[in-house]
Amino acid sequence: MNDTAPYRPDISIVTPVYNGAATLEELFARTNALMTELGLAFEMVLVDDGSTDTSWGTIKQLKTAHQTQVQGIKLGRNFGQHNATLCGIRHARGRYIVTIDDDLQTPPEEIAQLLRVQKATEADIVYGIYPNKKHSWLRNLGSKLLKRLFRYLVNGLRDGSSFRLITRDLADKIDGHNQYFVFIDQILSWHTSDTEFVEVEHRERAEGRSGYSTRKLFRMAINIIFSYTDLPLRAMTWIGIITSIASFGIGAYFIYQKVAHGAAIGFTALIVSIFFSTSLIVLSLGILGEYIGRIYAARGNRPNYSIKKKV
């Protein structure tokens, strides 16, 4: 795509790297052993997403030792896993492209499973899914809720992960995407429904800790909801309808009390109604503001990432 070098491997392994210096050499060695066993030519596209450790130095060492099998890309700052993955896909040259994290929680040997299923089904995408994720219960719960939300709203995937195989043809189709907020799985599912799944192993993290804090995960969920769904607008509409019906009922009740029984309504009901309606208006304006902000950001047509160096 963006790289015109003559080397055309059978498979490209795209890995977004964030503080992964401790695991990169093992990841490459195990991948190399697997590809040798399978008889496949491969390359690793390692995208350094603003690491603060020695990841870039490790990538350069791997490139020096394995000239044709390593591409190294250093981004100008941390743009996030999905943007870094998109960058790697755009630079990948293989007939098939596999995306895998740098933390060894998904053993690279499981790539053979993805290849086996794709060969049997000729699917555009094969996801490796985890029957037992080695994450915290809170992160697992959040992931399940988000996937259910997408199934309901936009006919999203029934499951998915950052461990996936996509075909060359599909990679070429997503090359033109330049959205303000990138969520790879939703972009892929927009282009095709020919998706397969295979269960793979998920292990404890080998080194360090995840770059996704609870705050970052929550923010990502909010970005996905506002960028790929109209759920907040739908919710605002239904809240408005329900509030109108409730307000009408409350008003009718107080009028009845006044007319039938001469009850003194006083200022309590009025104050409660004013505060309730004001808070609803402020909430609605906040939701509209989120969408307007994203429209404004999209007008700038900023790229999803900025490349600082390549080796």
Side-chain angles (χ1 to χ4, degrees), residues 12 19 64-65 81 98 100 161 179 197 202 207 217 222 232 237:
S12 296
N19 293 345
T64 301
Q81 181 185 29
V98 169
I100 186 172
S161 71
Q179 292 167 273
F197 305 87
H202 195 248
E207 295 283 346
L217 287 170
I222 293 297
T237 300

Side-chain angles (χ1 to χ4, degrees), residues 239-309:
I239 290 172
I241 293 172
I242 294 170
T243 303
S244 298
I245 294 172
S247 299
F248 178 80
I250 292 171
Y253 170 77
F254 280 114
I255 292 172
Y256 170 77
Q257 290 292 325
K258 180 69 174 178
V259 173
H261 304 289
I265 298 175
F267 291 101
T268 303
L270 179 62
I271 292 172
V272 170
S273 298
I274 290 174
F275 272 103
F276 182 73
S277 60
T278 302
S279 64
L280 182 62
I281 291 171
V282 172
L283 172 64
S284 300
L285 289 175
I287 292 173
L288 291 174
E290 283 286 340
Y291 280 101
I292 292 171
R294 279 161 172 73
I295 293 171
Y296 176 78
R299 285 181 66 249
N301 198 29
R302 292 182 300 180
N304 299 117
Y305 51 82
S306 173
I307 296 175
K308 184 176 181 179
K309 297 177 182 177

Side-chain angles (χ1 to χ4, degrees), residues 197-255:
F197 305 87
V198 60
E199 289 189 357
V200 297
E201 185 180 0
H202 195 248
R203 297 177 180 176
E204 296 287 349
R205 192 177 179 88
E207 295 283 346
R209 48 190 254 175
S210 173
Y212 281 115
S213 63
T214 303
R215 181 182 63 84
K216 286 184 178 180
L217 287 170
F218 178 76
R219 184 61 188 167
M220 185 177 74
I222 293 297
N223 277 327
I224 291 171
I225 290 171
F226 276 98
S227 298
Y228 290 92
T229 79
D230 61 354
L231 174 63
L233 293 175
R234 291 191 203 179
M236 192 168 68
T237 300
W238 281 105
I239 290 172
I241 293 172
I242 294 170
T243 303
S244 298
I245 294 172
S247 299
F248 178 80
I250 292 171
Y253 170 77
F254 280 114
I255 292 172

Side-chain angles (χ1 to χ4, degrees), residues 20-35:
T23 56
L24 287 179
E25 291 185 1
E26 181 180 352
L27 176 63
F28 179 86
R30 290 167 61 178
T31 303
N32 189 21
L34 174 67
M35 294 300 144

